[in-house]
């Protein structure tokens, strides 16, 4: 098997259906399999997906929702492809995207993971598709919306062209085309992360393992991301800031003195509480 595509579904029948159809719509010069992991949906989305796709997709039903990382790992442990694609259930894959990135990975054996240009529904770039690793300085500028002209502090790499190919630090978990050899070396997603941060952590470990991570801007997907103005569930806000804490403690706390770590942890807690408070007054949509 050349490629294993892994999609996690949680009560999103229509979105997941459209994502899978955007793959099945085209022919490919390689063999592939599609896994859908249902994270204990409480609706009938799993049954409807099974009925709709029948034997075209391999389904895994989780007994409980242990998060995005844990869901993906269930399929990754069974996947037989030389490459593994982590793909969000709210994405649309464009024509030639999988084929182009497959050929690029075949020709560049030192690349451990590759991403593509990720477009939002309005056609704008999802900035998470090409990032630097977060650190104390660039996270401070980003979280407090402080403008900076320094390329060293440009977390979202907005100074780099969107339609070219180059090495970066971090991809988005919405689309990660990963070499299985790299995963076998560094391990699967860290299930300590529930929903956010697992993609950054995985990229960090891939680069630590000596592999390159590449942004392939010549190919595209569309990511039907929810608008930030919408009211969010409190758990999602909490998990976002919890992921910050986990990532920092895992990869950076050992390099910093106690007072720096204390300030970082306090800052994360304050921002989380502030975001939860402000979210109360947002309108549902």
């Amino acid at each position: 098997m050349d490629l294993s595509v892994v999609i996690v579904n949680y009560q999103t029948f229509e979105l997941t259906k459209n994502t899978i159809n955007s793959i099945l719509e085209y022919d490919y010069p390689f063999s592939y399999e599609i896994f859908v992991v249902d994270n204990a949906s409480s609706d009938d989305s799993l049954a409807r997906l099974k009925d709709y796709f029948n034997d075209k997709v391999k389904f895994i039903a989780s007994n409980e929702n242990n998060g995005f990382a844990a869901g993906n790992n269930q399929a990754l442990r069974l996947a037989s492809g030389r490459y593994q694609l982590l793909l969000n259930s709210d994405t649309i894959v464009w024509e030639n995207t999988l084929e182009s990135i497959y050929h690029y990975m075949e020709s560049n054996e030192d690349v451990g993971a590759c991403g593509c240009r990720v477009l939002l529904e309005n056609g704008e770039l999802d900035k998470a598709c090409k990032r630097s690793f977060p650190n104390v300085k660039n996270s401070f500028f980003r979280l407090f919306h402080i403008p900076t002209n320094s390329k060293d502090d440009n977390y979202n790499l907005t100074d780099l062209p969107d339609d070219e190919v180059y090495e970066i630090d971090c991809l988005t978990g919405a689309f990660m085309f990963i070499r299985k050899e790299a995963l076998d070396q560094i391990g699967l997603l860290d299930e300590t992360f529930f929903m956010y941060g697992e993609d950054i952590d995985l990229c960090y470990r891939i680069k630590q393992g000596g592999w390159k991570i590449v942004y392939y801007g010549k190919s595209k997907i569309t990511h039907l991301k929810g608008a930030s103005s919408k009211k969010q569930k409190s758990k999602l806000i909490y998990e976002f800031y919890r992921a910050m804490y986990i990532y920092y403690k895992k990869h950076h706390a050992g390099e910093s003195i106690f007072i720096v770590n204390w300030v970082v942890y306090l800052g994360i807690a304050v921002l989380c509480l502030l975001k939860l408070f402000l979210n109360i007054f947002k309108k549902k949509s």
Side-chain angles (χ1 to χ4, degrees):
M1 186 67 62
D2 294 314
L3 176 65
S4 298
V5 181
V6 178
I7 302 167
V8 175
N9 173 74
Y10 182 68
Q11 303 182 172
T12 54
F13 168 73
E14 286 293 337
L15 289 172
T16 303
K17 181 191 74 173
N18 293 338
T19 297
I20 297 170
N21 278 333
S22 74
I23 298 172
L24 297 176
E25 184 177 353
Y26 308 110
D27 295 322
Y28 303 98
F30 52 80
S31 59
Y32 71 97
E33 59 186 356
I34 300 175
F35 286 90
V36 169
V37 180
D38 183 76
N39 254 357
S41 297
S42 58
D43 63 0
D44 61 350
S45 58
L46 176 58
R48 293 172 68 191
L49 287 168
K50 283 183 174 180
D51 182 63
Y52 186 92
F53 289 107
N54 199 2
D55 59 351
K56 295 179 181 177
V57 173
K58 299 178 180 180
F59 290 95
I60 300 172
S62 300
N63 294 322
E64 55 184 325
N65 184 359
N66 291 316
F68 184 74
N72 276 294
N73 283 348
Q74 288 186 75
L76 290 174
R77 292 185 183 101
L78 300 175
S80 59
R82 296 186 297 113
Y83 300 102
Q84 327 261 285
L85 172 62
L86 304 185
L87 185 66
N88 265 25
S89 63
D90 58 350
T91 58
I92 300 296
V93 179
W94 289 39
E95 186 176 8
N96 297 322
T97 289
L98 298 185
E99 182 175 346
S100 296
I101 294 183
Y102 172 82
H103 287 312
Y104 180 83
M105 294 291 283
E106 288 283 273
S107 301
N108 295 270
E109 296 182 357
D110 57 347
V111 177
C114 186
C116 67
R117 192 183 341 171
V118 179
L119 301 176
L120 300 175
E121 194 170 7
N122 61 7
E124 294 180 0
L125 185 76
D126 182 350
K127 294 179 181 180
C129 68
K130 53 185 180 85
R131 296 174 283 178
S132 299
F133 287 129
N135 55 48
V136 174
K137 192 174 180 182
N138 64 24
S139 296
F140 177 82
F141 284 122
R142 179 169 177 262
L143 290 172
F144 291 97
H145 305 286
I146 300 173
T148 173
N149 294 321
S150 172
K151 293 182 179 180
D152 295 333
D153 301 321
N154 191 354
Y155 174 73
N156 286 317
L157 301 178
T158 52
D159 58 312
L160 297 178
D162 297 340
D163 58 353
E164 294 184 10
V165 180
Y166 41 82
E167 187 177 354
I168 60 171
D169 283 340
C170 189
L171 307 169
T172 173
F175 185 102
M176 293 182 71
F177 200 108
I178 310 167
R179 193 178 301 274
K180 187 176 187 298
E181 185 182 347
L183 275 181
D184 288 342
Q185 176 188 336
I186 60 102
L188 301 180
L189 296 166
D190 184 345
E191 297 183 15
T192 310
F193 298 92
F194 183 84
M195 188 170 179
Y196 302 102
E198 70 286 319
D199 49 359
I200 302 175
D201 172 75
L202 186 66
C203 288
Y204 191 91
R205 290 187 286 122
I206 288 173
K207 293 200 77 169
Q208 279 189 321
W211 299 92
K212 291 181 179 179
I213 292 178
V214 168
Y215 169 78
Y216 192 89
K218 295 179 180 180
S219 294
K220 310 170 191 175
I221 66 166
T222 298
H223 189 192
L224 306 174
K225 224 174 181 180
S228 60
S229 60
K230 293 179 181 179
K231 187 167 184 176
Q232 297 176 281
K233 291 183 178 179
S234 295
K235 179 173 175 55
L236 299 185
I237 295 173
Y238 167 75
E239 289 296 343
F240 179 80
Y241 288 97
R242 175 176 170 269
M244 286 186 189
Y245 166 77
I246 295 169
Y247 178 83
Y248 179 84
K249 184 177 181 181
K250 181 176 181 179
H251 295 298
H252 298 293
E255 305 167 355
S256 303
I257 61 175
F258 170 79
I259 188 64
V260 172
N261 292 336
W262 186 84
V263 170
V264 170
Y265 297 147
L266 179 62
I268 292 172
V270 169
L271 285 170
C272 180
L273 291 172
L274 178 62
K275 189 74 173 181
L276 287 168
F277 176 76
L278 294 175
N279 189 59
I280 296 172
F281 300 99
K282 283 188 177 180
K283 295 180 179 180
K284 293 183 178 180
S285 54

